[in-house]
Amino acid sequence: MALPVAFFALFFAWPVAAITARGLKADGTWHLGRLAEVLGRSDIRHVLWFTTWQALASTALTLLVALPAAWVFARLEFPGKQVLRAVVTVPFVLPTVVVGTAFLALVGHGGLLEELWGVRLDTTVWAILLAHVFFNYAVVVRTVGGLWGQLDPRQEEAARMLGASPLRAWRQVTLPALAPAVAAAALMVFLFTFTSFGVVQILGGPTFSTLEVEIYRQTSEVFDLTTAAVLTLVQFAAVGAILAVHAWTVRRRETALRLVDASVTARRPRGAGQWTLLGGVLATVAVLLVLPLGVLVRRSLDAPGLGYYRALTDADGGTFLVAPLHAVWTSLEYAVAATGIALVVGALAAAALARRDAGRLMRGFDALLMLPLGVSAVTVGFGFLIALDEPPLDLRQSWFLVPLAQALVGAPFVVRTMLPVLRAVDTRLREAAAVLGASPWRVWREVDLPLVRRALLVAAGFAFAVSLGEFGATVFIARPDNPTLPVAVARLLGRPGELNYGQAMALSTILMVVCAAALLLLERLRTDRTGEF
């Protein structure tokens, strides 16, 4: 456990503390009075209000749209279900920059809606809300659907035999059992939308700004580190509260239910109602998830002869010091390195948390491992530049700085994927091997590793996908001669001109294809017990 603790302390807690202290301390004096001053500003109150209500609206809308799909995946068996599950999950592992770009191509200036019906949503909050539903649809489907598929349907059938209507049986039997999973999914969606950056940065314009976007603006444009530090503390407190409640709901989900094998609860659709619901879910997936990605691909092909893709091989000397296509190889190299770091740190943390004698302190660390997903990535990235600039950790000029930041985001996914599998390993197998004289390392190699190998591969795939798309921290620390794909897309979108816009669409398409390929591979490896969502 020492290595995971040291890693998160050194590359997460220290940079965040360093940049926050830099903003609240001047001339050797702490200016804590600035907290009330900053929070009293009308523009900051507007940011706080928009951040909160758009997160609530996005969460409610995501639950409304995704819960029927959770039932379909849990209770129905139909051809192409595995492929559809992968399609549903693709948006979640896509970089937020790509999601924002896809909806920009759909609803922005010159987008498909304007082209066909003269409708533009980029100046309203609806584009942001729909993009958040797109991004978080899989969170609800996997979290709620995974539990729903393991609930014994005979309990609801018994209630109906005793005279309860289908609605009453569902409300009084199934819904109470699902409540912890629904609450956990809602909290995760709220966390991701509360800390939204790439989507709001691209679609929100100057009118709409979340806490994360405002931290970025105050840090990189206004250079007001005090305001950025105050907003970081506010976001940190909110995320800590969300994760504390989420940990409580997860414990309820783990201990309150008796579950069955999900493979025996799914049946082929029966009756017009189930076929209609399945058709409705397929239509929703096609319109809400597939259409934006299809429009993204279409926009990247607007130039004749793959012109936008061919332009990626030329360095213009303005936006980049190298050809934009160089960002593809740079991102792959960084993501591979970040995946290796995340696997080592996350696997060791999961192994420690899976121990039967893990106490309350360990459970608290489990919640802390999720903090990098919610705390401002902008703060982490800028904190890297502030904290890691002196020997023996002077890494500002090192290429390794980017994989370290990406591994912070990938490690929680490794933990969440491997932890349930490690907890399911029979401890008597380890004890028997130890009694026979095996060392702890040999016990891990010959007992645990064969049982968790598949989960380890799935964890590696998720860590690779999320590392590939990390943007908030990387935008600060990626060098101009080695931009990552998300950073390259954002820089191209920030420059006027049809060529820059087309190149951004082409790079986003490449990034989408790589993430989708990784996810399809994961679905072939995945089992029902591999991962918590």
Side-chain angles (χ1 to χ4, degrees), residues 4 14 123 162 177 190 223 300 322 404 474:
W14 184 23
T123 57
L162 293 173
F190 184 85
F223 304 109
S300 73
V322 294
L404 286 172
T474 309

Side-chain angles (χ1 to χ4, degrees), residues 14 22 383-391 393-396:
W14 184 23
R22 178 71 64 92
F384 268 40
L385 298 181
I386 297 296
L388 305 179
D389 64 339
E390 295 180 358
L393 283 175
D394 186 3
L395 302 177
R396 289 183 62 169

Side-chain angles (χ1 to χ4, degrees), residues 371-390:
L371 278 177
L373 297 180
V375 171
S376 171
V378 171
T379 300
V380 174
F382 199 36
F384 268 40
L385 298 181
I386 297 296
L388 305 179
D389 64 339
E390 295 180 358

Side-chain angles (χ1 to χ4, degrees), residues 130-257:
L130 290 176
H132 284 161
V133 175
F134 170 93
F135 185 76
N136 294 289
Y137 189 87
V139 176
V140 177
V141 170
R142 286 193 174 272
T143 304
V144 180
L147 179 62
W148 209 334
Q150 294 179 283
L151 293 180
D152 193 342
R154 292 174 296 184
Q155 297 176 353
E156 188 173 327
E157 293 169 359
R160 295 184 61 182
M161 290 181 63
L162 293 173
S165 65
L167 179 60
R168 184 179 180 185
W170 181 83
R171 189 178 70 249
Q172 295 186 350
V173 177
T174 304
L175 183 59
L178 282 179
V182 174
L187 285 167
M188 289 307 297
V189 173
F190 184 85
L191 174 66
F192 291 138
T193 53
F194 187 85
T195 58
S196 181
F197 178 54
V199 167
V200 180
Q201 175 80 351
I202 291 175
L203 297 175
T207 306
F208 302 113
S209 180
T210 57
L211 273 173
E212 185 82 354
V213 174
E214 189 64 21
I215 291 171
Y216 173 77
R217 192 179 74 86
Q218 295 291 337
T219 302
S220 63
E221 298 177 10
V222 183
F223 304 109
D224 186 349
L225 293 185
T226 299
T227 299
V230 171
L231 296 182
T232 297
L233 291 176
V234 171
Q235 184 166 312
F236 188 86
V239 168
I242 294 169
L243 290 178
V245 178
H246 179 265
W248 176 73
T249 60
V250 169
R251 286 197 299 272
R252 283 191 60 197
R253 184 176 61 186
E254 289 178 345
T255 59
L257 300 173

Side-chain angles (χ1 to χ4, degrees), residues 23 34 84-85 112 132 158 174 176 248 266 272 284 289 293 308 385 429 495 498 510 515 525 533:
R34 293 293 305 276
L84 184 63
R85 190 192 302 273
L112 182 65
H132 284 161
T174 304
W248 176 73
T284 300
L289 305 186
L293 299 180
Y308 293 143
L385 298 181
L429 296 175
R495 297 187 68 191
E498 187 66 27
I510 293 173
C515 290
L525 296 170
F533 69 87

